[in-house]
């Protein structure tokens, strides 16, 4: 299996070549066709399996190839920690360079300058926003963030977010989104409360286990 066979477009293949990625990992081989098709996904996978690219690559592919509003937030990725937000932002850097798809990581613990920079990006529009729940709520409470054009919602390490007590924050953020969107949920474990969240959020999801 190659990335070409997954029908990713040329600028993405170029970025993958630069990164030295030649073969999709099992989760990428399984998830990318599902995401490209537009189906909701429930992915049971640990960190280290290549799950970040499993959702970033097809989302970037879709942002480029499908009609979208360039000045609006197209994809929202919610993660439990600033470290993961930064890591996903870093993963997007090479991809963004080759595809012109913009991304900002929004997370707590920075200074006033980073809040202002986040506010500017969130107001003027950015294709992909990666965020921790608390920080996103802080921006949403100020009233300048429009999430109504979000077409792709990703919850990454969702079990950890539930363990950290973010359930209410997650539901509050999701209440700002339009109901028609594609939802991708990734979790290392599938306890009962995770299944409940999946049942609430996902529509006819395909489930993959790595
Ligand atoms: P993740 O599970 O997304 O945190 O990825 C784990 C590590 O694997 C990261 O360092 C990625 O850069 C790397 N990686 C992801 N996909 C591939 C691939 N197809 N080929 C080689 N390395 C990869």
């Amino acid at each position: 299996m190659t990335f070409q066979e997954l029908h990713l477009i040329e600028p993405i293949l170029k970025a993958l070549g630069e990164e030295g990625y030649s073969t999709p990992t099992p989760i990428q081989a399984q998830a990318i066709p599902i995401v490209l098709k537009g189906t909701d996904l429930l992915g049971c996978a640990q960190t280290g399996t290549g799950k970040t690219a499993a959702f970033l690559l097809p989302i970037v592919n879709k942002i480029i190839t499908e009609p979208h509003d360039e000045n609006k937030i197209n994809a929202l990725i919610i993660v439990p920690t600033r470290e993961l937000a930064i890591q996903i932002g870093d993963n997007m850097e090479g991809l963004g360079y080759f595809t012109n798809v913009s991304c900002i990581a929004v997370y707590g613990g920075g200074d006033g300058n980073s809040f202002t920079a986040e506010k500017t990006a969130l107001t003027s529009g950015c294709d992909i926003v990666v965020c921790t729940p608390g920080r996103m709520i802080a921006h949403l409470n100020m009233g300048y963030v429009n999430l109504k054009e979000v077409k792709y919602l990703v919850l990454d390490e969702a079990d950890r977010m539930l363990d950290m007590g973010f359930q209410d924050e997650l539901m509050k953020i999701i209440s700002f989104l339009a109901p028609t969107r594609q939802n991708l949920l990734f979790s290392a474990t599938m306890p009962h409360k995770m299944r409940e969240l999946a049942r609430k959020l996902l529509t006819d999801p395909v489930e993959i286990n790595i």
Side-chain angles (χ1 to χ4, degrees), residues 118-202:
E118 290 170 7
K119 177 182 174 183
T120 305
L122 292 170
T123 316
S124 57
C126 186
D127 297 307
I128 301 178
V129 173
V130 189
C131 67
T132 53
R135 183 67 154 211
M136 194 66 207
I137 299 268
H139 284 290
L140 283 166
N141 283 341
M142 313 277 278
Y144 46 72
V145 189
N146 178 4
L147 296 180
K148 285 280 177 240
E149 304 297 321
V150 169
K151 294 184 187 66
Y152 316 104
L153 171 69
V154 182
L155 302 192
D156 194 14
E157 300 198 356
D159 50 350
R160 250 178 108 189
M161 289 201 274
L162 294 184
D163 288 343
M164 290 165 82
F166 284 138
Q167 168 112 18
D168 292 347
E169 278 92 342
L170 284 179
M171 295 326 279
K172 177 162 183 189
I173 295 169
I174 291 165
S175 75
F176 283 84
L177 307 182
T180 39
R181 53 168 201 264
Q182 187 177 6
N183 303 290
L184 315 176
L185 204 159
F186 291 90
S187 182
T189 60
M190 282 295 157
H192 178 70
K193 60 182 179 177
M194 211 30 255
R195 292 259 163 218
E196 280 295 298
L197 181 69
R199 205 176 44 79
K200 256 191 247 169
L201 277 184
L202 306 175

Side-chain angles (χ1 to χ4, degrees), residues 3 20-25 28 46-53 87 91:
F3 283 109
Y21 293 11
S22 52
T23 314
T25 66
Q28 290 162 7
Q46 314 269 350
T47 294
T49 53
K51 73 175 158 59
T52 310
Q87 195 188 310
N91 270 254

Side-chain angles (χ1 to χ4, degrees), residues 79-90 105-107 130-132:
V79 302
T81 61
R82 58 178 285 164
E83 288 73 23
L84 189 55
I86 293 169
Q87 195 188 310
I88 295 173
D90 287 348
V106 167
Y107 48 84
V130 189
C131 67
T132 53

Side-chain angles (χ1 to χ4, degrees), residues 25-76:
T25 66
I27 191 169
Q28 290 162 7
Q30 286 187 52
I32 289 171
I34 295 166
V35 182
L36 287 178
K37 212 170 127 199
T39 311
D40 279 10
L41 174 70
L42 177 59
C44 194
Q46 314 269 350
T47 294
T49 53
K51 73 175 158 59
T52 310
F55 60 78
L56 279 183
L57 298 175
I59 286 176
V60 170
N61 199 99
K62 285 169 79 94
I63 288 176
I64 300 170
T65 56
E66 293 178 5
H68 66 278
D69 193 327
E70 293 196 352
N71 302 313
K72 298 280 161 61
I73 299 165
N74 285 285
L76 182 68

